[in-house]
Amino acid sequence: MSKKSILTTVGVLVFLILGFTSMYVVKEGEYKVVLKFGEAVRVVEDPGLHFKIPFIESVSKLPKYQMMYRSQQTQILTKDKKPILVDNYTVWRIDDPEKFLKTAKTVSAGVKRIDETVYNTVRAKLPAINYENIISENTERGNINDEITREVAATLSGDNYGIEVIDVRIKRTDLPDANKESVYNRMISERQSIAARYLSEGDEESKKVTSKADRQATELLAQAEADAKKIIAEGEQQAAKIYNESYGKDPEFYSFYRTLQSYVTTLNNEPVILMPIDSPYTRILLGQ
């Protein structure tokens, strides 16, 4: 084989090697960070074929998608002195690959930093809250999760780790086996005490309402009776006035009318009455 052929072959091989070492592929869901002598010079996010300077530049791959890290279970003492085992998870992503490479360098190191921050934040928050508020799904639990997420995100952002914390959630809060029965019994006792207090307060309030209603009913009845007596008296007074005015206009007719009324009363049930035939009462009765 001639020297020229050898040189040509070597040249082709060198060209192919340079060509292959200068190319790299970016896939969906990943960053490719181009490093020059160990320093990041650019970040490539667009999927496809890209080029770098062979032997001078190297490429490091970082995930672009969201990742979830589940923290190790840890024991914490709540505000009301109940020991609990807390299990939480963190959803995060790399939002600045250059910063991430300068600080954490690897995903495992980034996860370790997240774990430390979440651990410190959870241990600072939960001891200031009662156990029953921590386990409440619809009230305190949501507020705690939001507060922890904000504080963890702020801490990592301040440290320039290039990490975006999307969510930190308390997945589970369990009591240690040795404490479950005593804690449950204490909670039952507390609930029974609260129920007894509510029943006592309700009974006392019921008595107050009933007493007030009875007093108001008595007052209303007394007022109604007084008003009725007043109305009756006014009616009788008005009737007497009308009678007097009527009687004064024709005394003879009034006397005759009163006599007729006495007949109705006297002759009721058809009694036997003995009267002188010539008495005025008899004459009027006989129509004379």
Side-chain angles (χ1 to χ4, degrees), residues 196-207:
R197 187 177 75 248
Y198 285 161
L199 288 173
S200 176
E201 292 174 355
D203 185 55
E204 183 178 353
E205 189 65 24
S206 174
K207 289 179 180 178

Side-chain angles (χ1 to χ4, degrees), residues 178-190:
N179 301 94
K180 282 184 179 180
E181 186 173 354
S182 62
V183 170
Y184 288 156
N185 289 337
R186 190 186 312 163
M187 291 177 68
I188 291 171
S189 177
E190 290 174 355

Side-chain angles (χ1 to χ4, degrees), residues 76-227:
I76 295 174
L77 195 66
T78 63
K79 183 179 180 180
D80 48 351
K81 309 304 179 186
K82 294 183 176 68
I84 59 172
L85 298 174
V86 179
D87 183 8
N88 46 266
Y89 65 88
T90 304
V91 179
W92 68 287
R93 60 182 291 272
I94 300 171
D95 68 340
D96 192 326
E98 291 186 32
K99 288 183 179 179
F100 186 82
L101 284 174
K102 290 179 181 178
T103 53
K105 294 184 173 57
T106 63
V107 173
S108 59
V111 167
K112 183 179 179 181
R113 178 58 182 150
I114 291 172
D115 181 65
E116 292 172 354
T117 307
V118 171
Y119 176 80
N120 292 333
T121 305
V122 170
R123 288 191 68 85
K125 282 289 181 184
L126 297 191
I129 304 171
N130 289 330
Y131 174 73
E132 61 182 11
N133 292 331
I134 294 174
I135 64 175
S136 175
E137 290 290 344
N138 298 320
T139 53
E140 292 290 341
R141 171 70 72 83
N143 295 337
I144 294 171
N145 287 328
D146 294 342
E147 290 178 11
I148 292 174
T149 299
R150 284 194 297 268
E151 292 195 15
V152 170
T155 300
L156 293 174
S157 176
D159 292 342
N160 292 319
Y161 268 81
I163 292 173
E164 178 188 3
V165 175
I166 299 167
D167 198 12
V168 180
R169 293 281 145 183
I170 298 175
K171 182 179 179 182
R172 184 176 58 188
T173 51
D174 288 339
L175 291 167
D177 293 337
N179 301 94
K180 282 184 179 180
E181 186 173 354
S182 62
V183 170
Y184 288 156
N185 289 337
R186 190 186 312 163
M187 291 177 68
I188 291 171
S189 177
E190 290 174 355
R191 292 301 181 275
Q192 289 175 342
S193 177
I194 293 171
R197 187 177 75 248
Y198 285 161
L199 288 173
S200 176
E201 292 174 355
D203 185 55
E204 183 178 353
E205 189 65 24
S206 174
K207 289 179 180 178
K208 289 181 181 179
V209 173
T210 303
S211 176
K212 183 178 179 181
D214 291 342
R215 184 173 63 254
Q216 289 177 342
T218 302
E219 291 174 356
L220 289 172
L221 287 174
Q223 186 63 43
E225 289 178 0
D227 292 343

Side-chain angles (χ1 to χ4, degrees), residues 13-33:
L13 290 174
V14 170
F15 178 78
L16 290 175
I17 292 171
L18 291 174
F20 280 114
T21 56
S22 67
M23 294 185 296
Y24 63 94
V25 177
V26 178
K27 299 179 181 179
E28 287 285 351
E30 69 178 10
Y31 298 108
K32 284 292 177 66
V33 182

Side-chain angles (χ1 to χ4, degrees), residues 24-76:
Y24 63 94
V25 177
V26 178
K27 299 179 181 179
E28 287 285 351
E30 69 178 10
Y31 298 108
K32 284 292 177 66
V33 182
V34 179
L35 305 171
K36 188 174 184 180
F37 304 116
E39 294 292 331
V41 293
R42 64 181 178 277
V43 176
V44 182
E45 301 183 33
D46 299 330
L49 183 64
H50 298 270
F51 296 91
K52 62 181 179 63
I53 301 174
F55 306 113
I56 297 176
E57 293 181 337
S58 59
V59 176
S60 177
K61 180 178 72 173
L62 292 173
K64 188 178 181 180
Y65 50 82
Q66 291 184 1
M67 293 168 280
M68 186 178 74
Y69 169 70
R70 179 174 173 179
S71 302
Q72 294 294 322
Q73 195 175 66
T74 181
Q75 182 168 315
I76 295 174

